[in-house]
């Protein structure tokens, strides 16, 4: 399985996928199946069943995922992947299976995934979404999802699924595309980023400073953000981005974590400026 995300909408839709409260007969996955994957995701301590509460499968998974959204999204995403995997293995995505979850439930989950950078197929496969195929609203939602994940230090947020771009480059390209209708695919990163900064009215070190006029303090902040983004781009593992590691191997885990969080900071600032000026 390629990957997964966790949002409020996914938490609700995924729990509906395993809700058999209206069914005449019990439908797999069973509670014991869920026991295994919940423990594997290291979420057993927050499982309502482990706390002695008698709840159905849907409420059980939804409660765990809501806790994960607030406290440990990495574990929650691991559980999302595992639930989809066990539902698929039980025949939940096959119409002729006694464990079929229902087309409406599957389509709801497919829609919930679409704005996260991944798509869920009708037969239960998760694949990177091609951002160029998204509507403008869906594109914005997907980028905000990546930004949120980056700010939480989640490593795969640094590279946008389904593209050859890192998050900062994807946001810059989106801004230029929205403002100009196209963007220069051959431009180097500093140039692309500089154009994006200019189009949302933010300063870069290349802007001339008029010593005769007082400059708003935010301009110095914006120049620092530009330099920060360019310095992070220098740390990119250009040869290995397709192998799961977005940064040079010489970086420590802590350094890479700070770089990812910084990408989220710069990308969020630019995207918010774009939306405020639109």
């Amino acid at each position: 399985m390629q990957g997964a995300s966790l949002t409020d909408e996914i938490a609700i839709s995924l729990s509906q996928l395993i809700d058999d409260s209206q069914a005449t007969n019990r439908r797999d996955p069973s509670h014991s199946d869920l026991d295994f994957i919940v423990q594997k995701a290291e979420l057993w301590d927050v499982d309502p069943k482990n706390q002695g509460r008698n709840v159905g499968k849907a409420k059980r998974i939804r409660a765990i995922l809501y806790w994960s959204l607030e406290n440990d999204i990495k574990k929650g995403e691991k559980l999302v992947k595992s639930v989809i995997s066990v539902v698929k293995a039980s025949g939940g995505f096959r119409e002729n299976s006694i464990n079929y979850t229902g087309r409406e439930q599957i389509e709801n989950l497919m829609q919930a995934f679409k704005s996260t950078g991944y798509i869920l197929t009708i037969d239960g496969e998760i694949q990177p979404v091609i951002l160029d195929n998204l509507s403008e609203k869906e594109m914005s939602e997907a980028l905000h999802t990546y930004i949120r994940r980056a700010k939480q230090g989640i490593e795969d947020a640094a590279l946008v699924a389904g593209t050859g771009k890192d998050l900062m480059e994807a946001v810059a390209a989106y801004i230029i595309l929205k403002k100009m209708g196209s963007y220069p695919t051959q431009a180097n990163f500093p140039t692309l980023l500089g154009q994006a900064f200019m189009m949302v009215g933010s300063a870069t070190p290349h802007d001339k400073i008029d010593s005769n006029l007082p400059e708003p303090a935010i301009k110095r902040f914006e120049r620092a953000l530009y330099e920060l983004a360019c310095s992070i781009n220098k740390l990119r593992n250009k040869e290995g981005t397709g192998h799961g590691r977005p940064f040079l191997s010489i970086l420590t885990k802590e350094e890479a974590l700070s770089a990812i969080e910084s990408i989220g900071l710069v990308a969020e600032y630019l995207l918010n400026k774009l939306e405020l000026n639109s």
Side-chain angles (χ1 to χ4, degrees), residues 9 76 83 88 100 112 117 154 159 182 212 215:
E9 191 177 357
V83 170
K88 183 178 180 182
Y100 182 55
I154 299 174
L159 298 172
S182 63
N212 297 318
E215 184 180 66

Side-chain angles (χ1 to χ4, degrees), residues 61-260:
I61 291 299
R62 187 162 62 244
I64 298 171
L65 292 178
Y66 275 145
W67 181 92
S68 300
L69 273 169
E70 297 295 329
N71 300 282
D72 198 326
I73 199 164
K74 290 182 182 180
K75 290 181 180 179
E77 291 178 346
K78 185 176 181 180
L79 182 60
V80 169
K81 291 169 65 176
S82 295
V83 170
I84 292 174
S85 181
V86 75
V87 168
K88 183 178 180 182
S90 301
F93 290 91
R94 294 198 321 269
E95 288 191 45
N96 61 349
S97 169
I98 60 172
N99 293 317
Y100 182 55
T101 61
R103 188 173 186 89
E104 181 179 351
Q105 288 77 5
I106 294 172
E107 289 182 347
N108 286 341
L109 186 58
M110 290 169 64
Q111 187 60 39
F113 262 101
K114 192 172 182 181
S115 64
T116 68
Y118 293 97
I119 57 172
L120 176 72
T121 66
I122 196 69
D123 59 353
E125 291 290 333
I126 295 180
Q127 302 169 352
V129 69
I130 305 303
L131 293 187
D132 291 345
N133 294 338
L134 296 180
S135 68
E136 184 177 305
K137 181 175 184 293
E138 290 168 338
M139 174 83 81
S140 177
E141 290 175 351
L143 290 174
H144 274 297
T145 297
Y146 278 108
I147 287 169
R148 184 174 63 252
R149 289 164 60 80
K151 290 174 66 181
Q152 292 166 337
I154 299 174
E155 187 173 34
D156 67 6
L159 298 172
V160 179
T163 75
K165 302 182 181 71
D166 66 17
L167 175 58
M168 193 64 260
E169 186 180 356
V171 168
Y174 171 70
I175 290 171
I176 296 170
L177 183 64
K178 185 173 172 63
K179 289 288 189 178
M180 303 295 294
S182 63
Y183 68 93
T185 56
Q186 301 302 316
N188 60 33
F189 179 81
T191 299
L192 187 73
L193 185 65
Q195 290 178 349
F197 266 70
M198 179 191 68
M199 288 179 183
V200 298
S202 293
T204 75
H206 302 293
D207 297 330
K208 292 183 178 180
I209 301 175
D210 188 341
S211 59
N212 297 318
L213 295 174
E215 184 180 66
I218 193 65
K219 296 301 179 182
R220 183 177 180 183
F221 174 71
E222 290 172 345
R223 290 188 180 92
L225 289 182
Y226 176 87
E227 291 287 9
L228 177 62
C230 288
S231 69
I232 294 170
N233 187 62
K234 286 286 189 180
L235 300 176
R236 279 278 306 277
N237 181 5
K238 301 294 186 179
E239 300 300 322
T241 54
H243 304 288
R245 186 176 178 86
F247 297 109
L248 297 172
S249 58
I250 59 172
L251 293 187
T252 66
K253 182 178 180 181
E254 291 73 22
E255 288 168 338
L257 178 65
S258 293
I260 293 166

